[in-house]
Amino acid sequence: MGIKKQASYKDYWSSNEQLRDPYISSIMPVNRFSWFLSHLHINDNLLAPKRNEPNFDKLYKVRPLLDSLSKTFLQHFNPNEHQLVDESMILFKGRSTLKQYMPMKPVKRGYKVWIRADQTGYVCQFEVYTGKTDSTETSLGKRIVLNLTKNIYGHFHKIFFDNFFTSFDLMEELLQNKVYACGTVRANRKNLPKNQILDKNMQKGESEGRVSSTGVSWIKWRDNRTIQFLSNYHNPDHITTCNRKAKDGSKIVINCPQAVKDYNQHMGYVDKADMLKSCYQISRKSRKWWHRIFFHFVDVEVKKTPPKPINMFKSKIPIEKRYSNAGHMPSICTSRRCHHCSTKENPRRTRWECSSCGVGLCMTPHKNCFKAFHAK
């Protein structure tokens, strides 16, 4: 059901041959599948603690599954050196006290999940957000990071996170527990240097830094605007370069602290985990609030194996089709990369494609990739 998606699961048993799936429909009747789906339970509802009891758990209905997966994810994979702590969303538009609204996220309404993922997109550890632990909680970001990293204390892994989590106290505590960390920090956080260079006086590529007595570095760097970082293992004096685009479209090279470059390099791991999960996800609409969480983590479990590198850019055209003498006609298409001459370092776009091969190919007075691509 994750490979061949239908509007309704009953379409897999449809009498219409275009909708019907012979493999799924041969396993069991649709009524039996519907019965299983409606009677699915993970925990005993009769033993659920009441809301006013001290052991009340908002995730009681899925708690055995979450605990089992958390233990399994930690036991069966040794994560890489670089990891990321970030938030992810489980789509849900029904009624639930756990539902969050995140207007800046692609999934704006749903359940929030804190995730620690490594560079392969493997979900090492997670925590479903159920709300504040008390009415006066002021360090949610710190609590989340410490909860998700306590299993890797003492191994000097390098953890990255955004300005929601970053604070001076967190960096100090992670360093004491032998965990390296780096992240952007909000300008109004406590314990940041007071005598900073004014933003308006900084040029693009200019930076300044301080190092505290406890080994935490503060870095301020000017790109299109000023950005501040905290790190417990970077040296503010280590400067490298990065590429930027000028207003005329040309590339320019500007100075950049090493902490900034490392941060930008490792900040996409949770997004990668979400991408891998979404490829063949089985999640469906349901009136039961916990079904979305259940199906989400089933998808995560299926895709938790670290993926092999895949060339996502150039598709392979069969040799017989590419060099055949029939059917190759140029046709106008939307702007796309040239399959023959475009590279990652020197991308080239065209508005022509081969109607048979289905790939973009340059056709200009000075360059004819269409002819070169089909010539032996």
Side-chain angles (χ1 to χ4, degrees):
M1 292 183 177
I3 299 176
K4 182 181 178 181
K5 298 182 180 180
Q6 302 282 16
S8 171
Y9 72 85
K10 294 183 179 180
D11 290 338
Y12 295 104
W13 287 268
S14 173
S15 58
N16 188 333
E17 292 299 328
Q18 294 180 338
L19 299 177
R20 182 183 181 88
D21 188 283
Y23 176 75
I24 295 177
S25 59
S26 64
I27 295 177
M28 68 176 69
V30 62
N31 291 338
R32 184 169 178 80
F33 181 82
S34 299
W35 186 91
F36 281 131
L37 196 62
S38 61
H39 290 76
L40 178 65
H41 291 281
I42 302 175
N43 216 345
D44 190 349
N45 292 335
L46 298 177
L47 302 178
K50 304 297 181 182
R51 186 173 292 273
N52 55 356
E53 295 181 4
N55 60 339
F56 172 73
D57 184 6
K58 292 183 179 180
L59 294 171
Y60 175 82
K61 287 181 177 291
V62 289
R63 180 58 64 188
L65 173 70
L66 300 182
D67 292 344
S68 176
L69 290 181
S70 296
K71 184 178 179 180
T72 302
F73 290 174
L74 289 172
Q75 287 181 344
H76 292 83
F77 183 68
N78 187 20
N80 293 286
E81 177 186 13
H82 299 95
Q83 299 173 43
L84 173 70
V85 173
D86 203 356
E87 59 193 13
S88 179
M89 294 290 287
I90 304 174
L91 177 63
F92 182 72
K93 296 182 179 179
R95 295 183 179 181
S96 174
T97 57
L98 302 178
K99 188 175 68 173
Q100 301 289 315
Y101 176 62
M102 304 288 291
M104 302 303 293
K105 291 286 185 180
V107 178
K108 294 178 173 54
R109 291 175 175 84
Y111 305 117
K112 184 187 293 186
V113 185
W114 310 108
I115 291 177
R116 174 169 62 87
D118 81 334
Q119 61 192 43
T120 64
Y122 183 94
V123 177
C124 304
Q125 202 169 350
F126 64 88
E127 180 180 331
V128 180
Y129 181 57
T130 58
K132 294 182 179 180
T133 55
D134 56 71
S135 58
T136 59
E137 184 176 25
T138 57
S139 56
L140 173 62
K142 178 181 177 180
R143 175 174 67 84
I144 295 300
V145 173
L146 294 178
N147 287 346
L148 294 180
T149 57
K150 60 185 178 182
N151 291 289
I152 56 173
Y153 284 173
H155 298 285
F156 292 102
H157 286 87
K158 295 177 181 177
I159 310 298
F160 297 85
F161 34 77
D162 60 26
N163 58 22
F164 176 82
F165 306 93
T166 311
S167 66
F168 191 86
D169 295 338
L170 173 62
M171 290 295 180
E172 287 186 326
E173 189 163 345
L174 288 175
L175 186 59
Q176 292 172 2
N177 292 312
K178 299 180 180 180
V179 175
Y180 291 145
C182 175
T184 55
V185 62
R186 297 174 182 176
N188 59 355
R189 293 289 193 189
K190 295 180 180 179
N191 301 321
L192 297 184
K194 302 296 182 182
N195 53 339
Q196 304 177 16
I197 301 176
L198 296 178
D199 294 354
K200 62 181 180 180
N201 295 334
M202 296 185 70
Q203 301 297 322
K204 191 168 186 176
E206 186 179 352
S207 63
E208 66 166 332
R210 309 276 196 281
V211 180
S212 71
S213 58
T214 56
V216 178
S217 301
W218 169 83
I219 301 169
K220 184 177 182 180
W221 177 62
R222 175 82 184 203
D223 191 11
N224 293 328
R225 60 184 181 88
T226 56
I227 310 171
Q228 299 188 37
F229 292 81
L230 285 180
S231 174
N232 59 16
Y233 74 97
H234 282 102
N235 187 338
D237 296 331
H238 288 174
I239 304 297
T240 181
T241 58
C242 61
N243 297 325
R244 289 293 183 269
K245 269 191 177 181
K247 291 183 178 180
D248 59 357
S250 61
K251 290 184 179 180
I252 58 175
V253 179
I254 64 173
N255 291 331
C256 169
Q258 185 64 45
V260 178
K261 196 164 188 177
D262 290 345
Y263 176 84
N264 290 333
Q265 180 181 355
H266 301 292
M267 273 303 292
Y269 297 161
V270 172
D271 293 335
K272 187 174 184 178
D274 289 339
M275 182 272 293
L276 293 173
K277 180 194 72 69
S278 66
C279 291
Y280 303 106
Q281 61 184 359
I282 61 174
S283 181
R284 291 189 172 275
K285 290 183 179 180
S286 175
R287 294 182 180 180
K288 297 181 179 180
W289 65 268
W290 61 271
H291 273 191
R292 280 288 191 179
I293 299 177
F294 169 75
F295 286 125
H296 171 84
F297 284 104
V298 170
D299 291 330
V300 173
E301 169 69 16
V302 171
K303 296 301 294 182
K304 71 184 180 64
T305 304
K308 296 180 180 179
I310 300 175
N311 187 348
M312 301 292 289
F313 173 48
K314 292 191 176 181
S315 59
K316 292 184 178 180
I317 308 298
I319 299 297
E320 299 80 7
K321 183 177 182 180
R322 177 177 175 178
Y323 296 129
S324 65
N325 295 324
H328 298 292
M329 295 293 293
S331 60
I332 298 176
C333 64
T334 57
S335 178
R336 58 189 300 187
R337 287 193 174 191
C338 177
H339 188 83
H340 184 66
C341 68
S342 181
T343 62
K344 184 177 180 181
E345 294 76 18
N346 187 21
R348 294 184 178 275
R349 305 192 72 83
T350 178
R351 290 187 176 274
W352 292 93
E353 69 176 0
C354 175
S355 58
S356 176
C357 299
V359 295
L361 296 167
C362 293
M363 288 185 64
T364 66
H366 307 288
K367 195 170 189 178
N368 193 338
C369 290
F370 186 91
K371 181 179 179 180
F373 179 74
H374 294 107
K376 290 186 179 180

